[in-house]
Amino acid sequence: AFLVMAGLPKEPLEDSKKQSFWMPGNYVRTVHRTDQSFQACNDIMACFMERAKVEKQYAQQLSQWSSKWKSIMDSRPLYGSLMRAWQCFFTSTERLSALHSSISLSLAEEEGHRVKTWQRETFPKKLFCGFKESYDNKTSFSRAQKPWSKKLKKVQHACVCLFVLFDKISNFSTSLHISTVNSQIAKVPIIYPKL
């Protein structure tokens, strides 16, 4: 029994809030994905630019720090292995600065340009209509759902009429039952107790 229960779907079979994709007009969330994807590309590019700025600032700070301490160490009387250790330390700092500068350039120019190009190719715009894909999807979905929407309105109208009819029948039945009970009470002879 446990294996059978594990295979059952965990979500209700019927969407009580009518938020299903298949309900008329609920395709709008799908259509808006194009706009959201376009905005996501803009967010990615903004993220790249901010990261490139951080990398560039860090590279500049490393370079300034290295030149400051290099000039201080050059003025000191260092020799031998201590001087080589300081030189290696400053060389590695300069290499790290160069690495962060190249990361900054790569993010700003190469990756940002690549995303911008992909965005331009993937999301063509129509004049006055926004994105071509969004417009096409919206018109296709609305055309496809038009007959279904009309039938659904008829069914909903029939359900309302049926509910009203059921309510009237129920009220009539209740009043009929009350009147029959009252008439039966009226027909029963009243028996007085003997004194």
Side-chain angles (χ1 to χ4, degrees):
F2 178 74
L3 293 175
V4 173
M5 293 296 285
L8 293 176
K10 294 182 181 168
E11 59 190 45
L13 296 176
E14 191 173 325
D15 188 6
S16 62
K17 295 181 183 176
K18 307 293 185 225
Q19 296 298 316
S20 168
F21 168 81
W22 303 108
M23 293 304 289
N26 285 353
Y27 59 84
V28 173
R29 289 182 292 174
T30 304
V31 171
H32 285 309
R33 286 185 187 156
T34 303
D35 301 332
Q36 294 165 351
S37 299
F38 184 83
Q39 184 58 43
C41 289
N42 288 339
D43 293 342
I44 288 172
M45 287 187 296
C47 178
F48 283 175
M49 291 304 155
E50 283 184 30
R51 174 70 187 267
K53 185 178 177 183
V54 168
E55 294 287 344
K56 186 177 181 180
Q57 288 173 346
Y58 183 61
Q60 289 172 346
Q61 289 173 347
L62 279 175
S63 183
Q64 290 170 353
W65 178 86
S66 177
S67 63
K68 172 188 166 186
W69 282 98
K70 192 173 187 180
S71 64
I72 291 172
M73 288 301 127
D74 285 345
S75 67
R76 305 277 192 257
L78 298 175
Y79 55 92
S81 60
L82 185 59
M83 184 174 77
R84 282 195 300 269
W86 275 105
Q87 287 172 344
C88 288
F89 186 60
F90 293 130
T91 304
S92 68
T93 304
E94 289 168 1
R95 286 182 184 165
L96 191 59
S97 174
L99 174 68
H100 284 282
S101 290
S102 69
I103 290 172
S104 173
L105 286 173
S106 175
L107 284 171
E109 294 176 5
E110 295 171 14
E111 300 306 321
H113 179 68
R114 189 177 302 158
V115 171
K116 187 73 173 170
T117 303
W118 180 83
Q119 183 186 31
R120 206 176 304 123
E121 292 170 356
T122 306
F123 302 107
K125 291 189 175 185
K126 285 186 91 169
L127 196 62
F128 306 119
C129 296
F131 297 107
K132 182 182 183 316
E133 184 178 354
S134 293
Y135 178 76
D136 293 345
N137 287 342
K138 186 176 180 179
T139 54
S140 297
F141 277 125
S142 65
R143 284 182 193 148
Q145 283 189 348
K146 200 171 197 175
W148 157 250
S149 195
K150 287 179 182 177
K151 289 180 182 180
L152 182 65
K153 284 180 184 176
K154 286 181 183 178
V155 168
Q156 288 173 340
H157 179 69
C159 286
V160 168
C161 291
L162 188 62
F163 177 76
V164 168
L165 182 63
F166 177 76
D167 192 43
K168 286 180 181 179
I169 290 172
S170 176
N171 290 340
F172 178 73
S173 172
T174 304
S175 66
L176 184 63
H177 177 67
I178 290 172
S179 64
T180 56
V181 168
N182 287 340
S183 69
Q184 286 177 356
I185 291 174
K187 289 181 182 177
V188 174
I190 300 173
I191 302 173
Y192 296 106
K194 293 184 181 179
L195 294 174

